[in-house]
Amino acid sequence: MRKSFRVLCSLMLALVMMISATTVFKADTTTKDDVSVEITTDKESYSAGEEIQVTVVVTNNSKEELTDVNVRVNWPEGMTFAKVEDKVLVIDALAAGASQTYEVQGVKASSNLPFIILIAVIIIALLIVFVIGVIKNNKNKKAAAAATTLVVAMLITLLPTTIAEAGVTINAQKTVTIGGTEVAISATVTYSQYYMGRLGRVTVHDPSVVYDPETDMYYIFGSHMAWAKSKDLINWTSFKNNINTDYRTIFAEPASWAAKGSSSYNVSGNMWAPDVIYNEKLGKWCMYMSINGDFWYSSIVLLTADKIDGDWTYVGPVVYSGFQNKAEAEETDFYDVYTGTDFPKRYTEEAFGNRTYGMNAIDPCVFYDEDGKLWMAYGSWFGGIYMIELDPETGMRLKSHTYETVEHQSDEYQGIKIAGGDCVSGEGAYIEYVDGYYYLYLSYGGLASDGGYNMRLFRSENITGPYTDLSGDKAIAEYNIDNINGSVGVRVMGNYLWDFTKSGQIAQGHNSVYSDENGTYVIYHTRFTNQGEGHSVRVHQQFQNEDGWLVTAPFDYAGESLAFVEKEDVVGDYKVIQHKLKIYYAGKNCNEPVGITLKEDGTVTGELKGTWKFSDKLGAPYVTMVIDDVEYNGVFLKQRRDNATDMVMTFTILGDNEINVWGYKPVAE
């Protein structure tokens, strides 16, 4: 009986400790990182069973927006929420300087003990009987210990769980008296620290940017009917138009083509990567939308609107893909363009289970060249990226512009080949003219967080190419290679993690670019090392270095511009990220900073060694560095550091090895 008694005491002690743990609240500050949480009650003292009114006010006193904010009230033992739906308040975004109030009522639970504890007590009682039985039957101590462990494990699994505390957690508590006993009511607030850094963050996948002078606003249009607008390329707000509600009717025609690839086709998740442009001849805004289908049964269609925010009217298809035979091709505009009567087998050639020749008609980029001609770049791996001329009078394909079929150059139906092909990754083409060059951006790899998505850059003096990178490699693939981590195309940035952030930015891609007399800006979506497939829009400014190649500012755009700098402003210690090509993207690995010093005598010391100098003009922001015998060219730029308000000196440089390097000068915390 002594053994049984000891076991029973151990079990009861464990039960008491665990129940106590659920009712004791640890006091903590109510303010953290300029975010305050205030909890008040309608009274200081309550009779047993009386309803309690609790008010929680979350105030964002920082200069940054908070996202993914969760607020929950934790009641003392014997109480619960009056309304089940009040258990957690979810706030998508809390702007800088804003407050959010959360009011809930607590009532006495249906039992003096929470239901889960009652169940636990019953299970424990049964297990105690089992333990005593084991001992009475002369089983050894190990069996009794095992049973005791089982009891504790069962109790732990039955205890209530709390809300996830990803990012930053703030706890506030209020002591009140209930039935003569002091108890604590607490509020737990969590938010995503790694999304901090800008007002008006938005989630738009594949953001395509356009400026409307009538509204003086920038707009981004993305996949899955996500749109946003901004006055300054910094603060974005989402909006909706008639596509969001009427898409099944609007896209009925292209959806019927896309449905050929699947017996259970649903267009709702297959409106991909639109591009919007103002057509002066039409006097309308033109949206070119990808309607994706399985097995390449896709099309790009045109919609028009009098105003950029809609309503949008369906016009018709511009180009198709996916046809497997002559009968299917006859359902498209193929024979309006193709001069023969046969069906060329090249469109259905495959390797490794994917097309090597026929493109996928998605991801349009529509633009005017410097001669005023209207073009559309489009397509996706595995068949490659093509370009066709459009009729500015209609916005549709200019069918009088014919193309020859020449291997790795052009195709009679698909147009001029500018990139990819032969199963090589590459999508989301975007072309922008900047100071003498047409720059072609592509996204390599798979778009998922572990897919190696990354942006590549090529350029050409001619709109139709050829497009090449800094070392002269062509954007067109003439044979199959795994190019995700390869050296073809200047990698705009790689996975990276700064020393002052908790989450790395990864899988950046499917960008657009806006350029005018004030600057050049790359707009893209990024994922994060600890946010699953969650993504967010980012805008970085770009500058031409002295070699004419675009380099990208290390931090988000915050209104900065190039300015002359003095030597004393740039000498000193820096944290530096090298955007190396070879990275284990499947493991979400990131390039991380190393420390260097730019010394006044023109040497670079620290973990990287070499030399540095200004350009020939004294104090100009252009910089040349030679690090480990590689020459890099770029600019100095004073920027607001991500996730902070302080301004720091930065540099961005591109090497002869096609590696981009970012650096910033830390400030005292």
Side-chain angles (χ1 to χ4, degrees), residues 286-543:
C286 292
M287 176 187 288
Y288 294 83
M289 173 73 81
S290 310
I291 303 299
N292 176 68
D294 292 345
F295 299 102
W296 310 283
Y297 284 103
S298 304
S299 63
I300 295 171
V301 300
L302 170 63
L303 303 93
T304 61
D306 293 324
K307 294 184 179 297
I308 194 170
D309 53 0
D311 284 349
W312 292 92
T313 301
Y314 178 78
V315 177
V318 180
V319 68
Y320 289 88
S321 65
F323 32 76
Q324 302 289 321
N325 50 57
K326 184 175 182 178
E328 288 186 345
E330 286 175 340
E331 297 181 42
T332 74
D333 66 342
F334 180 78
Y335 287 102
D336 295 342
V337 177
Y338 182 66
T339 56
T341 57
D342 63 323
F343 177 71
K345 296 297 183 183
R346 62 179 179 267
Y347 296 108
T348 57
E349 289 176 358
E350 293 184 12
F352 316 112
N354 295 300
R355 288 201 168 185
T356 58
Y357 188 91
M359 52 72 212
N360 192 19
I362 61 172
D363 296 355
C365 170
V366 181
F367 54 95
Y368 289 95
D369 68 13
E370 290 303 288
D371 295 324
K373 292 183 177 180
L374 185 62
W375 299 87
M376 182 176 77
Y378 72 104
S380 173
W381 62 340
F382 305 86
I385 311 296
Y386 287 81
M387 180 191 298
I388 58 175
E389 188 176 354
L390 302 180
D391 184 351
E393 300 286 346
T394 65
M396 302 292 281
R397 181 180 186 133
L398 182 63
K399 293 183 179 178
S400 63
H401 187 151
T402 60
Y403 309 91
E404 292 184 78
T405 297
V406 180
E407 186 178 19
H408 303 309
Q409 294 183 30
S410 58
D411 177 84
E412 192 169 355
Y413 179 73
Q414 297 177 162
I416 300 167
K417 190 172 188 178
I418 59 173
D422 203 33
C423 289
V424 172
S425 80
E427 62 184 24
Y430 202 89
I431 295 176
E432 185 75 10
Y433 182 81
V434 181
D435 196 17
Y437 292 98
Y438 293 96
Y439 287 91
L440 167 65
Y441 295 78
L442 296 174
S443 292
Y444 285 179
L447 59 83
S449 58
D450 59 357
Y453 220 39
N454 67 97
M455 296 175 286
R456 299 294 179 130
L457 185 60
F458 303 84
R459 75 180 186 186
S460 173
E461 293 181 348
N462 302 308
I463 183 62
T464 56
Y467 288 89
T468 57
D469 65 12
L470 189 150
S471 65
D473 292 328
K474 294 180 180 179
I476 293 174
E478 297 186 359
Y479 55 89
N480 178 257
I481 57 171
D482 181 3
N483 65 348
I484 297 176
N485 263 338
S487 60
V488 177
V490 175
R491 187 165 184 163
V492 177
M493 64 184 73
N495 294 0
Y496 67 92
L497 173 65
W498 285 113
D499 54 319
F500 55 82
T501 59
K502 293 185 178 180
S503 179
Q505 295 196 30
I506 59 176
Q508 308 96 333
H510 207 123
N511 69 282
S512 58
V513 179
Y514 181 78
S515 185
D516 62 14
E517 66 277 6
N518 296 316
T520 300
Y521 312 87
V522 58
I523 296 94
Y524 63 95
H525 70 253
T526 184
R527 287 178 164 81
F528 307 90
T529 51
N530 56 358
Q531 262 295 286
E533 297 307 316
H535 54 86
S536 183
V537 171
R538 293 292 184 271
V539 178
H540 285 231
Q541 196 165 10
Q542 294 189 309
F543 308 94

Side-chain angles (χ1 to χ4, degrees), residues 210-232:
V210 63
Y211 173 72
D212 179 11
E214 183 176 328
T215 60
D216 190 27
M217 298 278 282
Y218 302 91
Y219 293 79
I220 48 176
F221 295 84
S223 295
H224 314 303
M225 301 179 289
W227 347 104
K229 56 187 176 181
S230 170
K231 279 284 187 183
D232 53 12

Side-chain angles (χ1 to χ4, degrees), residues 35-47:
V35 179
S36 65
V37 179
E38 180 186 47
I39 180 170
T40 58
T41 54
D42 58 331
K43 295 196 302 183
E44 296 294 322
S45 180
Y46 301 87
S47 59

Side-chain angles (χ1 to χ4, degrees), residues 449-453 484-485 491 494-495 506-507 529 580-591:
S449 58
D450 59 357
Y453 220 39
I484 297 176
N485 263 338
R491 187 165 184 163
N495 294 0
I506 59 176
T529 51
K580 298 176 182 177
L581 297 177
K582 301 296 182 183
I583 191 166
Y584 181 51
Y585 57 81
K588 303 183 183 181
N589 288 10
C590 289
N591 295 302

Side-chain angles (χ1 to χ4, degrees), residues 555 558-561 637-641 644-650 665-667:
F555 302 134
E560 64 275 351
S561 59
L637 174 70
K638 200 161 191 180
Q639 278 199 284
R640 194 186 83 167
R641 185 165 58 100
T645 57
D646 52 277
M647 299 293 291
V648 297
M649 184 59 67
T650 74
K665 185 185 286 189
V667 295

Side-chain angles (χ1 to χ4, degrees), residues 10-29:
S10 299
L11 292 172
M12 294 305 294
L13 179 61
L15 178 61
V16 169
M17 290 174 63
M18 290 185 180
I19 292 176
S20 298
T22 67
T23 58
V24 175
F25 297 88
K26 181 182 178 181
D28 202 349
T29 180

